[in-house]
Amino acid sequence: MKLLITGRHIEITKAFNQYVRKRFKKWSTFLGANATVDVILSVEGYRHQVEVIVKDGPYAATGKQITKDMYQSVDLIAEKIGRQLMRQHEKLTDVKTSGTRYPLKRSSKKPVRKPEPGGEPVIEVDTVAGKPMTQEEAVMQLQAMRTTYLVFEDVETEQLAVLTKKKDGTFKLIVKE
């Protein structure tokens, strides 16, 4: 993900640059390596404005936020863009619309052979690439999906983890000891 931060009538400090990158990094799970995120910061009197434009294949989101505090503007616009990306992700992963313009590849399944009588049982192998994300991001991703499990790489522990959705609506995290 390419993040370009531009300041109009404002000098962008290193700390503020890191803050903006941290706020938008969590949405990189939806976006690919070629995604472009343009963040334009401007100050006019007491008005602190943040404008964001996101482009990546099937995903596109824009937003503008004006408050009296620049940090608050960045927080609000990051959440607004996140909601837009989640909505688009839900549309793209929905069963009804998955055969449309941008079909998503979930996993690759190996062909299943028919079991022979008295032979060994057939095991269906499903390979999944675990994306690096936090547990909170994994919960949001799993809520948007129709599957009951999600394999991901936990950013904090750098281990492969499985998050499952139970029938009662709660989640279970499975990690290796």
Side-chain angles (χ1 to χ4, degrees):
M1 179 173 86
K2 298 171 195 145
L3 184 65
L4 177 66
I5 303 171
T6 307
R8 294 184 185 153
H9 309 292
I10 185 173
E11 183 179 331
I12 301 170
T13 63
K14 185 177 180 182
F16 191 72
N17 188 346
Q18 290 175 348
Y19 181 78
V20 171
R21 290 186 183 283
K22 179 182 167 191
R23 291 296 293 160
F24 285 96
K25 185 177 181 180
K26 69 179 186 177
W27 301 118
S28 65
T29 56
F30 294 116
L31 305 173
N34 295 331
T36 58
V37 179
D38 295 322
V39 180
I40 303 164
L41 310 167
S42 63
V43 176
E44 296 176 11
Y46 67 90
R47 297 170 47 152
H48 297 268
Q49 177 177 315
V50 178
E51 185 176 351
V52 177
I53 303 165
V54 179
K55 295 177 186 173
D56 178 36
Y59 298 106
T62 60
K64 183 188 287 188
Q65 189 66 46
I66 301 171
T67 62
K68 292 183 179 181
D69 180 37
M70 187 61 78
Y71 286 93
Q72 183 181 13
S73 294
V74 169
D75 291 341
L76 292 172
I77 196 67
E79 292 303 315
K80 183 187 264 187
I81 295 296
R83 285 191 303 271
Q84 289 181 22
L85 292 173
M86 282 292 289
R87 240 181 284 130
Q88 290 179 18
H89 181 72
E90 287 172 0
K91 286 180 183 179
L92 290 171
T93 58
D94 190 13
V95 173
K96 295 178 186 173
T97 60
S98 64
T100 61
R101 189 171 172 187
Y102 297 102
L104 297 178
K105 292 183 179 178
R106 290 265 177 241
S107 61
S108 60
K109 291 187 178 181
K110 293 184 179 178
V112 178
R113 58 184 166 81
K114 294 188 177 183
E116 298 176 11
E120 60 184 59
V122 176
I123 300 172
E124 184 176 324
V125 178
D126 192 6
T127 58
V128 180
K131 292 183 180 178
M133 60 179 79
T134 64
Q135 292 176 4
E136 293 82 19
E137 292 170 347
V139 168
M140 289 190 328
Q141 179 101 8
L142 187 58
Q143 286 174 338
M145 297 168 51
R146 291 194 176 237
T147 60
T148 56
Y149 70 95
L150 175 68
V151 179
F152 68 100
E153 181 183 344
D154 195 345
V155 175
E156 295 154 0
T157 62
E158 295 182 357
Q159 290 186 343
L160 204 60
V162 179
L163 184 68
T164 60
K165 189 186 322 181
K166 294 182 175 181
K167 289 184 180 181
D168 63 356
T170 60
F171 298 94
K172 180 179 181 181
L173 183 67
I174 302 169
V175 293
K176 181 182 173 186
E177 288 187 326

